[in-house]
Amino acid sequence: MKFFPTPLIRQLDQYTIEHEPIASVELMERAAEALYREIISSFPELQSLCVLAGQGNNGGDALALARMMLNTGYDVSVFLVHTNRLSPDCEKNKARLLAEYPHALTEITEVFVEPTTSSETILVDGIFGSGLSRPTEGIFAQAIEWINRSKCRVVSIDIPSGLQGEENSATAGFPIVKASLTLSLQFPKLAFLLPENEAFVGRWKVLGIGIHPRAIEETPSNLYFTEKEDTTHLLKKRLKFSHKGRHGHGCIISGSRGMGGASVLASKAALRSGAGLVTVHGPECNRVIVQTAV
C-alpha cells in the first residue's frame, strides 16, 4: 500500500472533490459511513456511545457518525469541544445533527465539563485529525486528559487526538489520546509505525473512503506499507504431487558449539517459506538438536 505524509493527504482529498466530483461535506459523509460500519462490527454489544468532536473536519466526521448512530437507535451523547471557530463542514454537520437530534449535542467552549459515562460506554475521539501541527492545550487538552482517565474503550477517528502524523518530538509531555482502536481514513499514518507511539495508537485499521485512484497513482511518495494482497501473487502455484526438488534447495551455514538455536530457527523459517529442500551445514555437536527440532 502506498501512503502519504499528512500534508499530501489534504491534496488527495481536494483532488477527489474536484475530479469525482463530490462536495467536501459528502466526502465526509462517506467517511462517517465507513466509520459507522466498522464500529458496529467491532463492538456488536454496543449500547451507548459518547462522541467528542473538535472544531475541524475531524470533528465534522465525528458529528456525522453520531447522527448515523442516532438514526439507527443507539444511545449517543455528543460533546462539541471548540473555541467558536468551526470549519465550514463541521458547521454543516453540527446543523444537520441539531435539526434531527438537538437534545444529543452539548457544546463546550470554555471549561471542559466531564460527560457522564459507564464502563460499557464506547468513547469516540474526533477532537483532532492528522493535520494537527502543534501540541494540545486549553479545553482540548482537558478533554484528552479526561478521555485517558475514563477507563472506557476509546475509538479514535483517523489518528489519536494530540498525535501528529509524522514527527512528534514537539508533543512530548502534552496530552495525547490513548486509543484502544484507531480507524484511519484511507491510509495509515507514519506515526502508527513508530514504537514510541504504540501506547497511543492501540490496534489500528485502515478504512477506505473512496479517494480518487488517479490521485493516489500520480502523487509521488516514498512511503509504502506491505499488506498480504501485495505478496500473495508472488507465491508460485504448486501441483498436488510435485517433488521437493522442484521448489528450491536452501543451504544454511550456521551454529557453533552450544549455539544450535540459529540453525533451528533459520531452517524452520526456510521450510516455512516454501523451500522444497533445506540443508544445514553446522558443527557435529548440533546435529541431534537440529534433527530433533526440525
Side-chain angles (χ1 to χ4, degrees), residues 49-54 59 62-67 69-70 75-81 93-94 97 101-108 115 124:
L49 203 69
C50 177
V51 177
L52 286 97
L63 294 174
L65 168 66
R67 172 170 38 83
M69 300 295 293
L70 285 161
D75 177 19
V76 184
S77 55
V78 189
F79 296 84
L80 178 56
V81 184
N93 273 303
K94 172 189 168 184
L97 182 64
Y101 305 102
H103 64 281
L105 180 65
T106 300
E107 295 190 60
I108 299 174
V124 174

Side-chain angles (χ1 to χ4, degrees), residues 50-54 58 81 112 122-129 132 134-137 139-164 168 171 173-183 191-192 196-203:
C50 177
V51 177
L52 286 97
N58 195 254
V81 184
F112 184 75
I122 303 295
L123 297 185
V124 174
D125 157 37
I127 301 173
F128 289 119
L132 184 69
R134 62 186 185 279
T136 54
E137 57 186 7
I139 56 173
F140 304 109
Q142 294 167 20
I144 291 171
E145 288 169 342
W146 173 78
I147 290 172
N148 290 340
R149 290 196 308 270
S150 70
K151 308 301 181 184
C152 293
R153 288 171 292 177
V154 179
V155 178
S156 284
I157 296 176
D158 204 31
I159 192 170
S161 292
L163 191 66
Q164 298 178 26
N168 275 278
T171 64
F174 288 87
I176 298 172
V177 166
K178 295 180 179 178
S180 313
L181 172 65
T182 299
L183 298 177
F192 297 176
E196 60 268 26
N197 298 326
E198 180 182 9
F200 308 118
V201 178
R203 182 170 67 89

Side-chain angles (χ1 to χ4, degrees), residues 209-280:
I209 61 169
I211 294 299
H212 202 296
R214 192 183 306 130
I216 297 171
E217 180 182 346
E218 295 179 357
T219 304
S221 177
N222 62 352
L223 300 176
Y224 290 84
F225 182 78
T226 303
E227 298 181 290
K228 185 177 181 179
E229 52 266 34
D230 296 323
T231 58
T232 48
H233 71 280
L234 300 174
L235 298 176
K236 295 180 179 179
K237 197 168 184 179
R238 299 192 174 193
L239 299 173
K240 186 183 295 185
F241 298 105
S242 61
H243 187 271
K244 63 184 178 183
R246 296 183 60 184
H247 301 294
H249 184 179
C251 177
I252 295 170
I253 303 172
S254 66
S256 59
R257 181 175 294 277
M259 297 290 178
S263 301
V264 170
L265 292 172
S267 53
K268 280 187 172 183
L271 290 168
R272 180 70 183 85
S273 73
L277 178 64
V278 176
T279 300
V280 179

